[in-house]
Amino acid sequence: MATSASTSAELSGRVALVTGAARGVGAAIVRCLVANGASVIAGDVRHDAVRALAAEVGARACRLDVTAQADWEAAVGLAVSEFGRLDVLVNNAGVMEVAGLTDATPEHVDRMVSVNLLGCVLGIRTAGRVMSEAGGGSIVNLGSVVATTPCEGLGVYAASKAGIAALTKVAAMELGGSGVRVNVVRPGGVDTEMGAPGGVHPPFYARMALGRIGGPAEIAEVVAFVASDRASYMTGGEVLVDGGWTAGRYAAEMDAPVVGG
């Protein structure tokens, strides 16, 4: 299993903004993009945590509530004022709460949809304008395997992630003429507090094709590839990074609600 970001210069000279960057997959993406030569702005509502990460890896930090348009304007504005451009946006911020559909409250639905889906819409809207005016860029949205794989207790979460997949395809069509690529990376279970609460790995991971849960750095490496020019002919695409979750019978054998990426 990969445990740290690779080091190369494939994103040298590029400026990236990563949301939900304070921990988990978001923090791994920040580390990986910096290791690959990018100047990175790490955004999160957990400002103290994201500032600590930024200081550690040599990134810039900003407080970013992805549901607030004003925060998006400030974050994108920071990229332009500090570095003169914005080349990459990674819409990673997301929340997950387990609730059966008959128990889901309006507040539960609003939180899932606002952070997971509206956050992506606002990010594409704000960063897409700047990238289009500059003649190109790459937007990578973080979806989830559960968008198409049933999982009890995650109906609203899954619906929000399915919405991201649909949004990605529309954005790819609308922004492609300006040289902006838009793709979605769909993790399976990842060894984070969201994917393995309390560090407990649900037993079904052992029955998947690779027989284990994924590491945040393994998702980050794929995000870095999709963001880079090595994926220059890829847009509107969905990239599964699920360890074989969807490869066979494993999803049907889950013995407890399991969080996706």
Side-chain angles (χ1 to χ4, degrees):
M1 180 190 298
T3 57
S4 60
S6 63
T7 302
S8 76
E10 68 179 32
L11 290 169
S12 179
R14 304 299 172 87
V15 178
L17 170 60
V18 181
T19 71
R23 64 183 186 181
V25 172
I29 292 170
V30 170
R31 295 177 189 278
C32 189
L33 297 183
V34 169
N36 279 275
S39 299
V40 179
I41 296 173
D44 204 296
V45 291
R46 304 174 185 85
H47 198 209
D48 289 344
V50 82
R51 285 176 62 188
L53 171 68
E56 176 190 343
V57 303
R60 287 293 306 272
C62 70
R63 186 187 185 283
L64 175 54
D65 176 351
V66 296
T67 70
Q69 180 64 40
D71 281 14
W72 274 110
E73 298 287 353
V76 172
L78 176 62
V80 174
S81 63
E82 186 77 11
F83 301 106
R85 57 193 294 164
L86 178 62
D87 304 290
V88 175
L89 168 64
V90 181
N91 278 316
N92 167 75
V95 293
M96 191 287 306
E97 297 171 358
V98 176
L101 293 177
T102 57
D103 297 319
T105 64
E107 293 76 18
H108 169 85
V109 176
D110 182 67
R111 180 168 167 77
M112 296 296 99
V113 173
S114 293
V115 177
N116 297 350
L117 186 56
L118 175 62
C120 277
V121 173
L122 296 182
I124 292 170
R125 176 177 187 262
T126 312
R129 290 173 177 171
V130 171
M131 292 179 181
S132 293
E133 291 172 0
S138 177
I139 297 174
V140 185
N141 301 320
L142 270 291
S144 173
V145 68
V146 301
T148 54
T149 302
C151 191
E152 291 182 68
L154 297 182
V156 178
Y157 176 80
S160 70
K161 292 296 187 176
I164 290 173
L167 176 69
T168 296
K169 295 182 184 300
V170 174
M173 294 296 295
E174 293 186 356
L175 298 175
S178 299
V180 180
R181 299 184 298 106
V182 190
N183 294 284
V184 58
V185 171
R186 295 176 53 202
V190 186
D191 195 4
T192 64
E193 183 56 36
M194 182 182 287
V200 177
H201 298 177
F204 105 95
Y205 285 115
R207 301 196 299 272
M208 296 195 327
L210 292 184
R212 62 174 176 83
I213 196 170
E218 293 178 293
I219 310 304
E221 293 285 357
V222 176
V223 170
F225 165 75
V226 174
S228 77
D229 285 346
R230 288 198 292 162
S232 60
Y233 199 54
M234 180 186 294
T235 196
E238 299 183 43
V239 184
L240 272 172
V241 193
D242 69 353
W245 183 322
T246 56
R249 67 185 183 280
Y250 308 101
E253 295 181 353
M254 289 190 296
D255 32 33
V258 179
V259 180

